[in-house]
Amino acid sequence: MERMIQADITGELVRKDSKNVGVQGEANVTTLRLRFDESWRGYGKRVVWRNAMGENPVAVTLFQGQGGEESLVYNTPIPKEPLEEPGWCSFTVEGYTETEGVRSVALSVKEYLEVKESGGYYRPAEPTPTMAQQILDALGKAELVVQASAQEAKSWAVGGTGSREGEDTDNARYYAEQAGKAAEETAAEVRTEFEALAADAEGSVDAAKAAKASAEQAQGKAEAAQAGAEQARAGVEAERMAAEAARVGAEAAANSAEKTLKGAMMETVYDTQGRGTDVFLYVDGLVGDVAGALETLLNGVGGEDNA
């Protein structure tokens, strides 16, 4: 099981969960886990180790944090140099800025760890790489990571790398091609449906035009029928008015005749032939003439009998 010492750094204070770093002669066996607070954000970070004699300093640069570039948690193996002598070795954590190749330390904190004396022979471990070697090693690892990331990106983009099972049918280009085919098929279906709808629309337009013409024709007939009805009504009204005028005329004629008769009966002279004779004298004379004629007739009849 990996040994680990955790150190929480708040400003320039350190609180660690163990004081024992290991046994004399060990190297890269124990990991120092450093957790920084926000005051350390934005600074470059390195750890400078010294042995129990305060000698043989070695610096280890802290690169990317455990949670990515924004992380303030770093794991760094404890190298061989501080464990060469038994006693209390030290580590100094520095926060620095770098301008035009010149480093300026802004924050610094120092703490101690105990190195136990070895009870037997030990073989010295390889020395800790220099800063330049550490940077080159980090760059080499970064290059490998970049290459692996590029290969993985290509695998997911177009496939053909042989690094992933089924990558030739499980990549962005394949899905794009499938989506393009599906889009073309959908477009063809939509176009066919649109053309059918357009044909139906044209048929509907023709039917609408025919219906409109029939409606207009029916409207014309209705208007003609209405005009005929109005004309017939006008004729009936004219006949009614003529009949009314005839009735009025008949009543006027009757009234006139009645007045004439009444006037004639009131006259003392009945002059139908323009004789200017008094009616009563005329009647009397007419009666006398009739009586005379009757008498003559009777006389004539009697004379024949006597003969």
Side-chain angles (χ1 to χ4, degrees):
M1 181 176 178
E2 182 183 12
R3 293 190 309 222
M4 179 176 291
I5 300 172
Q6 181 164 296
D8 294 326
I9 301 178
T10 304
E12 296 186 14
L13 296 176
V14 180
R15 185 177 68 250
K16 57 186 185 294
D17 63 356
S18 175
K19 66 177 182 178
N20 297 317
V21 68
V23 179
Q24 178 186 8
E26 290 181 339
N28 302 312
V29 174
T30 305
T31 298
L32 178 63
R33 183 178 182 87
L34 298 170
R35 298 194 304 186
F36 295 89
D37 71 351
E38 286 293 327
S39 66
W40 286 76
R41 186 178 296 279
Y43 293 105
K45 303 171 185 67
R46 71 173 185 173
V47 182
V48 180
W49 294 94
R50 291 179 173 84
N51 61 24
M53 306 297 292
E55 300 173 347
N56 199 11
V58 59
V60 177
T61 300
L62 303 179
F63 293 100
Q64 184 172 336
Q66 294 301 112
E69 294 182 358
E70 298 299 320
S71 175
L72 291 175
V73 179
Y74 298 81
N75 290 348
T76 178
I78 300 176
K80 74 179 249 355
E81 286 81 1
L83 283 78
E84 289 177 341
E85 301 291 338
W88 291 86
C89 70
S90 68
F91 67 92
T92 302
V93 182
E94 297 177 346
Y96 62 88
T97 59
E98 187 170 351
T99 304
E100 296 181 354
V102 178
R103 289 188 176 183
S104 300
V105 176
L107 294 172
S108 179
V109 60
K110 187 175 183 180
E111 190 53 81
Y112 295 88
L113 295 170
E114 185 177 10
V115 180
K116 299 292 185 178
E117 184 175 2
S118 174
Y121 172 80
Y122 69 91
R123 185 177 63 183
E126 294 294 327
T128 301
T130 63
M131 290 289 293
Q133 290 174 330
Q134 293 179 39
I135 293 173
L136 289 175
D137 183 58
L139 290 176
K141 292 179 180 179
E143 184 179 2
L144 293 176
V145 171
V146 170
Q147 291 176 352
S149 299
Q151 185 179 40
E152 183 179 9
K154 181 180 179 181
S155 173
W156 285 106
V158 298
T161 65
S163 62
R164 187 168 53 86
E165 184 178 356
E167 65 177 3
D168 292 336
T169 56
D170 184 18
N171 58 71
R173 182 171 65 184
Y174 176 79
Y175 291 130
E177 291 174 352
Q178 296 301 311
K181 292 179 181 178
E184 290 178 357
E185 293 175 357
T186 302
E189 293 176 358
V190 171
R191 182 165 57 251
T192 301
E193 184 176 357
F194 177 78
E195 290 173 352
L197 291 174
D200 292 342
E202 290 178 358
S204 299
V205 169
D206 293 339
K209 288 181 179 179
K212 180 180 179 183
S214 298
E216 291 176 349
Q217 185 177 4
Q219 182 181 2
K221 291 181 179 180
E223 291 176 352
Q226 182 179 3
E230 291 178 353
Q231 185 176 3
R233 184 168 59 250
V236 171
E237 182 66 19
E239 291 179 0
R240 188 189 64 76
M241 293 179 65
E244 182 67 18
R247 185 187 64 77
V248 173
E251 289 181 356
N255 291 335
S256 177
E258 184 180 358
K259 289 180 181 180
T260 301
L261 178 60
K262 288 181 179 180
M265 293 181 68
M266 295 297 294
E267 293 290 338
T268 58
V269 177
Y270 183 67
D271 192 7
T272 60
Q273 299 180 359
R275 297 175 181 177
T277 304
D278 184 280
V279 66
F280 297 105
L281 293 177
Y282 174 75
V283 172
D284 288 342
L286 183 60
V287 170
D289 291 342
V290 172
L294 180 60
E295 184 178 358
T296 299
L297 179 61
L298 289 174
N299 288 332
V301 172
E304 292 179 357
D305 289 340
N306 291 327

